[in-house]
Amino acid sequence: MNAVGDPQRYRLSFTVGTLNLSGAPLGARLYRELGDWMKVRDTLRSQNLLQARSSNSSMRLSRELTQRLETLSEAEIAIVEDATLTELAQLMWVAVCRRYSFIGEFAEEVLRERFLLMQTDLTTEHFDSFVREKALWHEELANLESTTLKKLRANLFKMLREADLLTDDGVIIPTVLATRVHEQLTRRMPSDIRFFPTRETA
């Protein structure tokens, strides 16, 4: 966030409500071969490698996946190529949090904070309360249509479940970070461990 009263606008285009765990390794391997994210995106789209139902959907999915993968370091991308499901889910959750500061702040300020306070549930009301608080500083949130807000909320909770951070019943799942993921996240300052419900110091 910038100076008080001048917060950076949130990106709120996370309309693809999935971490795309199946497409991420493919995108990572293409990047190793092509060395250019624009070429990766175009290849994913032109060959419909993400198996989208329409050309517009293919373009949207390809763009979203490459933009998220771009937030990862070279070492993290290398892990994505041959990751276990746990490693993949954790890294793609991190990618979403880095790409969308709105999600990253929710992960740190609501998900992780509730876990640390031993409050084990996470509900849509916690999301709505977070939005109301942030809307005081972010006009783009205050002006959202209710239907758009509902879609963003549904997509975020879907990704939380896909990342194995939340049960279908809304119970927070404590995270045990995979060794390779842990090594990478602790190289950043502040550590991106802050995006997970864990008692380890971020």
Side-chain angles (χ1 to χ4, degrees):
M1 184 175 293
N2 298 330
V4 174
D6 184 28
Q8 183 177 354
R9 288 179 62 86
Y10 286 133
R11 290 190 183 101
L12 296 171
S13 56
F14 49 98
T15 54
V16 179
T18 173
L19 294 180
N20 205 337
L21 301 183
S22 60
L26 175 58
R29 286 191 289 271
L30 281 173
Y31 179 69
R32 176 167 51 82
E33 296 170 8
L34 302 173
D36 181 277
W37 286 115
M38 186 72 72
K39 292 179 180 178
V40 171
R41 187 195 68 183
D42 291 344
T43 300
L44 289 171
R45 179 190 55 78
S46 63
Q47 299 182 28
N48 194 23
L49 296 178
L50 300 180
Q51 300 180 350
R53 297 181 179 179
S54 68
S55 59
N56 285 341
S57 180
S58 180
M59 181 179 297
R60 186 173 65 254
L61 288 171
S62 301
R63 181 178 62 246
E64 185 68 27
L65 176 59
T66 52
Q67 287 175 340
R68 293 180 188 182
L69 287 173
E70 279 185 279
T71 69
L72 301 180
S73 68
E74 295 286 337
E76 290 165 342
I77 289 293
I79 295 174
V80 170
E81 283 193 66
D82 68 347
T84 65
L85 183 57
T86 295
E87 289 174 330
L88 190 57
Q90 290 174 355
L91 280 175
M92 292 311 293
W93 172 249
V94 167
V96 166
C97 290
R98 290 176 185 171
R99 172 66 182 165
Y100 297 103
S101 59
F102 174 83
I103 297 179
E105 289 176 19
F106 180 82
E108 182 177 5
E109 298 173 19
V110 183
L111 172 68
R112 180 178 170 86
E113 188 65 19
R114 289 189 64 76
F115 174 78
L116 292 176
L117 294 174
M118 294 184 287
Q119 299 171 327
T120 59
D121 64 316
L122 185 69
T123 69
T124 55
E125 176 52 37
H126 297 129
F127 173 89
D128 293 344
S129 178
F130 176 77
V131 169
R132 286 194 295 270
E133 178 184 340
K134 295 296 183 178
L136 297 174
W137 300 98
H138 288 269
E139 184 178 354
E140 66 273 22
L141 285 177
N143 294 334
L144 277 180
E145 296 286 343
S146 60
T147 53
T148 302
L149 186 61
K150 287 179 181 178
K151 184 172 184 179
L152 296 179
R153 182 175 61 197
N155 287 349
L156 174 53
F157 274 75
K158 183 177 180 180
M159 288 188 283
L160 282 164
R161 292 190 295 270
E162 192 175 0
D164 204 24
L165 303 177
L166 194 68
T167 69
D168 291 341
D169 296 327
V171 176
I172 297 171
I173 303 172
T175 295
V176 177
L177 286 167
T179 301
R180 292 197 296 174
V181 174
H182 182 276
E183 290 174 352
Q184 294 305 316
L185 299 190
T186 54
R187 293 184 179 183
R188 296 175 68 96
M189 188 60 67
S191 165
D192 283 352
I193 290 174
R194 70 187 189 276
F195 297 139
F196 293 92
T198 174
R199 297 197 180 282
E200 182 171 351
T201 303

